[in-house]
Amino acid sequence: MDRTEENAKFPSCDAYFEAIQSKKKLPLSLQESLTAAFAQIPVSSFPDVPTGRVIEIPGDTSILDTVRILSEHNIRAAPVLNPEPGAPADWQGRYLGVIDYSAVILWVLENAEIASVALSAGSATAAGVGIGAVGAVGVAALGATGPAAVAGLTAAVVGAAVAGGLTAEKGVAKDGLSAANHLGEDFYKVLLEQEPFKSTTVRSIVESHSWSPFVPITLDSSMLTVLLLLSKYRLRNVPVIEPDKPVIRNFITQAGVVKGLQQCKGRDWFDYISSLPLSDLGLPFMSIDEVITVNSDDLILEAFKCMKDNKIGGVPVVERPNRKLVGSVSIRDIRFLLLRPDLFSNFRQLTVIEFMKTLGSTLPDSGENCLVKPPPTCRPDASLGSVIDSIASRITHRIYVVDNDLEVIGVVTLRDVISCFIHEPPGYCDSYLASAMEKIDGKTSVAVEKS
């Protein structure tokens, strides 16, 4: 499937949202009153981003500098500006999309896969490359791939991936665990110093690795639309523009909405809903068998691959033989691999727990380093209000539900929390989604014509 077509769609989430709605033990009159109230609240009333201005990244910025910008401003995502002179003056011409850590990790692992595919060809000479450090990254990240994966991969692309003198002297084993022994400093040499990775811009990543469509809403839209987009439709952020103006005025995130809900303490509707136990609200949504975890002795690259494959933003780290929670890793943590090669230049067989311990011993007092703190947890009988307080105070996207032995039995996400307060009136978002898809299709057609 063409990646542009695959990404330029709103995900179908009816099953999730309908299940949540059917399990909520809330009076229908209260749900209808809340929905009507949110429909009357304009987006313009939502607080601006904490810095007072939305951070925007030019499309010709390198991927490494992009990660630096996200990390320095302590944000997870940012709009990307079209660097082409003479671009149309509307938002479709001004912005290319949104870059976030999920797109970065997709790019890292996909480019690692290029080298892995070269190995799977069976002959480095036939593939046009040497089986040196690049192959090690690919195999460690994704495992040896089958012959079918070679389809569509040109020798020129693979050759470019190892330009700069990397050779086959090291001899790489063809399985993930042993290949990791050979990573070393070459991981960073490839991703940060060699072409085509070094000159890869954020524009190329946004255009090929986005998980969700980029369609801003206007200041006069309703907050109900925003809440539905951030819950049912799985968007992680919603850009806000002024009517008839292309500049993004605000950037509403799931975390921002949950913090806003927390500030509603003292209002009857919030106090009533937040006092309910999670089970009365259909949470945790996933059964114990559906919760995706990684083991503490898994490779850190395997943990990131797990998030990529399942399109999730974080995973709990558990200890064998049971599922005792010992930590968590989020997709945002890929920044440490890219920005702190001094910590991980001797990559070796770096496990998840070693990754966390390395950061814990180096950045013990960093307020932004959630890796070195116990992840937020709650019991199955916890109230929604306590979950909101825990998530909002930690600036995290999820809380893990554990039993008395600290074994993971569920997870509650920001999306789940928002879903507790709303339901969608029949056909409410139909016109918005139809308009959004029309704009996306128009933008995609323009892009194809230029290519």
Side-chain angles (χ1 to χ4, degrees), residues 63-339:
I63 186 58
L64 183 59
D65 286 340
T66 296
V67 173
R68 286 197 181 105
I69 292 171
L70 294 176
S71 183
E72 288 171 0
H73 291 279
N74 198 25
I75 55 178
R76 298 173 184 267
V80 177
L81 292 165
N82 188 348
E84 291 188 10
D90 59 6
W91 67 262
Q92 293 166 276
R94 178 178 172 83
Y95 296 101
L96 300 173
V98 170
I99 184 67
D100 59 17
Y101 284 109
S102 63
V104 173
I105 199 170
L106 284 172
W107 172 78
V108 169
L109 292 181
E110 185 171 284
N111 282 285
E113 186 175 13
I114 290 177
S116 180
V117 169
L119 281 181
S120 72
S123 166
T125 303
V129 301
I131 53 173
V134 185
V137 177
V139 175
L142 296 155
T145 53
V150 182
L153 181 71
T154 66
V157 172
V158 182
V162 293
L166 297 177
T167 66
E169 295 175 358
K170 295 182 180 179
V172 178
K174 292 190 178 182
D175 66 85
L177 291 177
S178 55
N181 282 323
H182 301 270
L183 288 177
E185 296 182 0
D186 289 327
F187 177 78
Y188 303 100
K189 185 179 294 183
V190 171
L191 290 179
L192 306 182
E193 298 178 14
Q194 304 299 328
E195 298 295 356
F197 312 110
K198 179 181 178 181
S199 59
T200 299
T201 64
V202 65
R203 173 177 188 161
S204 63
I205 295 178
V206 166
E207 292 178 340
S208 61
H209 293 80
S210 179
W211 280 4
S212 57
F214 171 75
V215 181
I217 62 172
T218 57
L219 286 168
D220 55 1
S221 300
S222 78
M223 280 304 300
L224 179 60
T225 301
V226 172
L227 298 179
L228 286 168
L229 291 175
L230 294 176
S231 57
K232 177 178 179 178
Y233 295 100
R234 295 190 69 180
L235 299 192
R236 298 179 180 180
N237 44 68
V238 177
V240 181
I241 60 175
E242 292 186 42
D244 303 321
K245 291 184 180 180
V247 179
I248 292 179
R249 285 283 307 275
N250 205 354
F251 202 64
I252 303 178
T253 64
Q254 291 175 326
V257 166
V258 171
K259 286 186 73 69
L261 287 171
Q262 184 191 33
Q263 295 171 8
C264 293
K265 284 183 178 180
R267 301 187 181 185
D268 292 344
W269 59 269
F270 179 85
D271 291 347
Y272 172 74
I273 296 176
S274 63
S275 68
L276 296 174
L278 294 178
S279 57
D280 281 5
L281 296 160
L283 300 175
F285 174 70
M286 292 184 291
S287 68
I288 184 172
D289 296 328
E290 294 174 312
V291 178
I292 298 169
T293 64
V294 296
N295 294 309
S296 59
D297 56 358
D298 288 341
L299 291 177
I300 186 62
L301 283 178
E302 292 173 348
F304 287 131
K305 178 180 182 293
C306 173
M307 289 181 265
K308 171 215 172 199
D309 290 346
N310 292 283
K311 291 191 174 183
I312 53 179
V315 287
V317 180
V318 299
E319 208 168 51
R320 301 176 195 268
N322 301 315
R323 294 159 61 98
K324 183 176 181 180
L325 185 68
V326 295
S328 65
V329 178
S330 79
I331 208 163
R332 185 186 183 201
D333 299 325
I334 190 70
R335 73 192 192 277
F336 293 116
L337 290 182
L338 296 176
L339 299 180

Side-chain angles (χ1 to χ4, degrees), residues 446-451:
V446 172
V448 170
E449 291 174 2
K450 291 183 177 180
S451 62

